[in-house]
Each structure stands twice: as C-alpha cells, then as structure tokens.
Amino acid sequence: MAPRNATVKSTDRFERKREAILDAATRILNRKGIKGLTLGDTAAAVDLSTTSVTYYFKRKDDLAAACITRGIETLHDLADQAVKAATPAERLHRFFTLYLDTLAATLAGTAPPLPIISELRALTSPRREEVASAYGRLFRKARQIFDHPDLCWMSRGRRTARTRMLLEQVFWGGAWLAKFDPEDYPRIRDRMVDIFLHGVAADGAAWDPKPIAMEKLAARDGPELARETFLLAATRLINRRGYRGASVDKISAELNVTKGSFYHHNEAKDDLVVACFERSFEVMTRAQRLAMDLPGDQWDKLSACAAALAEFQLSDHGPLLRTNALTALPEQIRGVMVEHSNRVSDRFASMISDGIAEGSLRPVDAFIASQMLNATLNACADLGYLVPDVRPKTAASVFVRPLLKGIFER
C-alpha cells in the first residue's frame, strides 16, 4: 500500500492540474464560446496532450460544464457571504464588493477566471440540466438579499425579477469593466450601488412612461416583414438553445421552411446571428430615436424608451437577441457587433447626461448607468420565464422600474 503522504501528494497534483486545465479552458470559453472551445486548444494551453486532458474531462461538454459550474459556485459563495449582512442595502454593497474583489484577483492571477455563465444554454443534456441546477442554487441564494421585514410588500415574483436584474449586472460586467483598472473598482462599486439604491430619476419624478407603439419598433410590411419573421424565429431559438443548439435544421423546422430557404436568406449560420443582432440593434436604436422625439424632459424620454423595449421583449414582436450569442461569432465579426452595442449604450449615456444637466435625472455616472440599463434590457427577455404571469404592458414596471427608481423601492 502506498504511504498516506504519497497519496495526498498525488491527489494534490491531480487537483492542481485539473484547476490549470479549467483556468485555460475558461479563458478560451470566454473568448470563443462553447462553439470555439476544444480539448486540443485547452491541452496546448497547459502543455499537455489531448489524451491527457481527456483523463480529466472525457468530452468538451464535460469540460465546459465544469468551467461554468466552478464559476457559479464562486458566485454562490460570494452571495452566501453577502446575505449574512443585516440589511438589504448592506448585502448588496457586500455582494458587489466581493464580486469586484474577485474580478481584481482574477486579473492579478491569484484567483481562477470567471466564465461567461450564460454559455450554459449551449450545453447538451445532461450537462445543461446539471449546470442549470447549480445556477438555480445561486439564484435562490442571491434572492435572499431581499429577505427582510422592510421588504415584506415585495411579492416573490418581484423579488425574482430584481434578482435576475441584479445577477445580469454581474454577467454583463465583464463586457465593460475591462475599460477600467482594478484600482478603480471601489469607485465603480460605489457608483453601481448608488444607482441600485436610488435609481437615476430625480427626487419626486413619477413613474408614468409615455407609450411607444410596438408596431413602430418592428418591421411592418413587404420584404421587410418576411425578413423580420425569419429573424424573429431564429432569435427565439438562439436565445432558448444558444448558438450551438440552434442548428440550421432546427431553425428551418421552426419556420417550416427547407434548408435551401435558409441559405437563400443567409450564406452561413454566422451570417444569421449577425443579422439577428443587427435587427436587435435596429429595434433599440428605433426606440431611442422615437423616445427622443417625445415631448417632456429626459426622464420622460429615458423611461419611455426603457419601458417600450421591456414591453417589446415580451410582445409578439420580441424578443431581442441576447448578448451571450456574441461569444459564438468569430472574433473580428464579434468586434463589429460589440461596436454596435456600444453605440446603443453610448446613446443611453447621452440621454442620461442631458437629463443630469437639466435636473430631471440624478447626478450618476452616465456611462455606468447606461451599461446597467443595457444589461437590464438584455435580461428582460427572460422575464416571461421567471414570472410567468407578467404581461408585456407590465414588464417595465416589474423589471426596469427597479433600476431606474431604486431596487428596494415600491
């Protein structure tokens, strides 16, 4: 029998190598998505043969699932520490402090990289269900931030919606926090928490967004309508199953058309994802332009735009393509789509800056507020699943109002 210390050393070596594989795979996953993750590339990143990696993870899905599960468990631990604080506001502050500290440690190389959690949609069974179960535990733990006598008025559905909005800020944070040095994170945390607690509206501003007709946001007739129908079906499938799970066969079946018809519209699947993103950016830009033309101050315009996009997500015309599909695109194309997304965020930032100048909005960080709003609108696509009885007309009140007016406000 091998000596006990030899067994311990062997176990330690196994765990160290396994963690190194997961670190390398997570970085590839974040750059290329599950579509671009391979056992061979992961092996090369840690100076192993592919066969050696399969000793730890038999299949690519096993490796991807392990990366995402590890990240979810890290966030669960952060939430578990945060909810021990006495008040919801202290819990929120603690959670984002721990999250940004963890992000800084990953950049310093002293903590494992965090994966893009939304990639779990692209996993196949049974790994998708296993990772979804881990995400469910994280979600329930984060929802405890709202467990307090002062918030007894808040229904379970509203707590659920706020939790989803809150977690989306963490998932989307990796997309824009890269613009900042880790030394800036405490300031960013304070500005994010300030927006969470107090919203962006000036004191006394009423929540009464002016309506924007859904028909004005969507394509209406002729060839444009045919293209809209095609892209809408593809968007719904990609949002539900991820890029990898939305095959040409499934998209064609969803539309009841032949694969030949698919390729008539798009030369390749990447072209389809790009077209779906362009449709989504067109809708968001249209909403912003229509809101800017409305009478009233910038609070009226911003709330009308956000409410219209939230309603659109749950309407027959929605949803918009979720941003997690970006990781499936080749890096050069992805960069172009990120630029489109940034233009939408920058337009929100301009509206917020103008509102601050005129006094209809609080003096918040316009860039951070615009990114938080973008993340909220992106996550709104999940609202129908999270709160099944919510209606399109009430989507903004349930999901967007808490960001614009304060997450703990009625």
Side-chain angles (χ1 to χ4, degrees), residues 47-74:
D47 295 323
L48 289 175
S49 66
T50 303
T51 303
S52 297
V53 171
T54 59
Y55 177 70
Y56 296 85
F57 303 99
K58 298 290 186 187
R59 300 165 54 247
K60 180 171 82 170
D61 258 26
D62 299 332
L63 177 58
C67 291
I68 298 171
T69 299
R70 186 178 66 163
I72 289 173
E73 289 172 347
T74 296

Side-chain angles (χ1 to χ4, degrees), residues 16-30:
R16 284 197 302 272
K17 187 60 68 176
R18 184 179 185 276
E19 289 298 303
I21 291 170
L22 288 175
D23 288 351
T26 299
R27 294 187 183 99
I28 296 171
L29 184 71
N30 288 348

Side-chain angles (χ1 to χ4, degrees), residues 3 68 74 118 136 142-143 146 163 175 206 225 230 289 323 358-359 372 381 389:
I68 298 171
T74 296
S118 56
R143 192 165 55 194
F146 300 93
T163 302
L225 179 58
F230 188 89
R289 299 293 186 201
T323 52
E358 72 180 11
M372 292 175 70
D389 60 347

Side-chain angles (χ1 to χ4, degrees), residues 345-368:
S345 292
D346 290 346
R347 200 171 292 113
F348 278 134
S350 294
M351 295 171 73
I352 293 168
S353 294
D354 290 346
I356 294 168
E358 72 180 11
S360 65
L361 298 178
R362 293 177 57 244
V364 298
D365 188 307
F367 172 80
I368 293 175

Side-chain angles (χ1 to χ4, degrees), residues 166-187:
L166 188 153
L167 287 176
E168 185 67 18
Q169 307 305 325
V170 172
F171 303 152
W172 181 244
W176 61 268
L177 283 166
K179 292 177 176 286
F180 298 92
D181 293 325
E183 292 78 12
D184 296 319
Y185 286 176
R187 177 178 60 85

Side-chain angles (χ1 to χ4, degrees), residues 229-250:
T229 302
F230 188 89
L231 294 179
L232 177 56
T235 295
R236 288 172 175 168
L237 190 59
I238 294 169
N239 280 0
R240 193 166 67 245
R241 298 296 305 274
Y243 177 97
R244 188 179 173 203
S247 66
V248 173
D249 287 334
K250 288 176 181 173

Side-chain angles (χ1 to χ4, degrees), residues 301-374:
K301 299 173 192 292
L302 184 69
S303 59
C305 180
L309 289 170
E311 180 182 346
F312 185 91
Q313 289 277 44
L314 270 68
S315 74
D316 293 338
H317 302 288
L320 304 173
L321 188 64
R322 287 185 52 80
T323 52
N324 63 288
L326 280 169
T327 57
L329 293 172
E331 291 189 50
Q332 184 174 1
I333 300 175
R334 189 191 320 160
V336 174
M337 293 300 102
V338 169
E339 286 178 11
H340 282 305
S341 177
N342 286 340
R343 281 200 289 273
V344 171
S345 292
D346 290 346
R347 200 171 292 113
F348 278 134
S350 294
M351 295 171 73
I352 293 168
S353 294
D354 290 346
I356 294 168
E358 72 180 11
S360 65
L361 298 178
R362 293 177 57 244
V364 298
D365 188 307
F367 172 80
I368 293 175
S370 69
Q371 292 294 339
M372 292 175 70
L373 178 56
N374 230 6

Side-chain angles (χ1 to χ4, degrees), residues 12-182:
D12 288 346
R13 282 196 300 272
F14 178 90
E15 287 301 321
R16 284 197 302 272
K17 187 60 68 176
R18 184 179 185 276
E19 289 298 303
I21 291 170
L22 288 175
D23 288 351
T26 299
R27 294 187 183 99
I28 296 171
L29 184 71
N30 288 348
R31 266 197 340 268
K32 300 183 177 181
I34 288 180
K35 175 194 173 190
L37 176 66
T38 67
L39 296 177
D41 284 348
T42 304
V46 289
D47 295 323
L48 289 175
S49 66
T50 303
T51 303
S52 297
V53 171
T54 59
Y55 177 70
Y56 296 85
F57 303 99
K58 298 290 186 187
R59 300 165 54 247
K60 180 171 82 170
D61 258 26
D62 299 332
L63 177 58
C67 291
I68 298 171
T69 299
R70 186 178 66 163
I72 289 173
E73 289 172 347
T74 296
L75 293 175
H76 181 278
D77 290 344
L78 304 187
D80 188 46
Q81 295 178 59
V83 299
K84 293 173 183 175
T87 68
E90 290 170 336
R91 294 167 190 168
L92 189 69
H93 187 278
R94 182 65 176 154
F95 181 64
F96 278 93
T97 297
L98 292 169
Y99 165 64
L100 289 167
D101 285 350
T102 301
L103 205 59
T106 67
L107 293 173
T110 57
L114 292 172
I116 297 175
I117 305 297
S118 56
E119 277 293 287
L120 72 87
R121 296 167 187 262
L123 294 168
T124 57
S125 295
R127 295 292 172 254
R128 182 170 63 245
E129 290 75 17
E130 293 169 0
V131 177
S133 178
Y135 175 77
R137 292 191 293 275
L138 163 63
F139 194 95
R140 290 188 293 274
K141 179 60 67 174
R143 192 165 55 194
Q144 290 178 23
I145 287 173
F146 300 93
D147 290 348
H148 193 272
D150 290 347
L151 300 178
C152 62
W153 57 268
M154 198 181 290
S155 67
R156 180 181 177 86
R158 290 183 180 273
R159 290 199 307 273
T160 294
R162 283 165 166 78
T163 302
R164 180 67 187 88
M165 186 263 281
L166 188 153
L167 287 176
E168 185 67 18
Q169 307 305 325
V170 172
F171 303 152
W172 181 244
W176 61 268
L177 283 166
K179 292 177 176 286
F180 298 92
D181 293 325

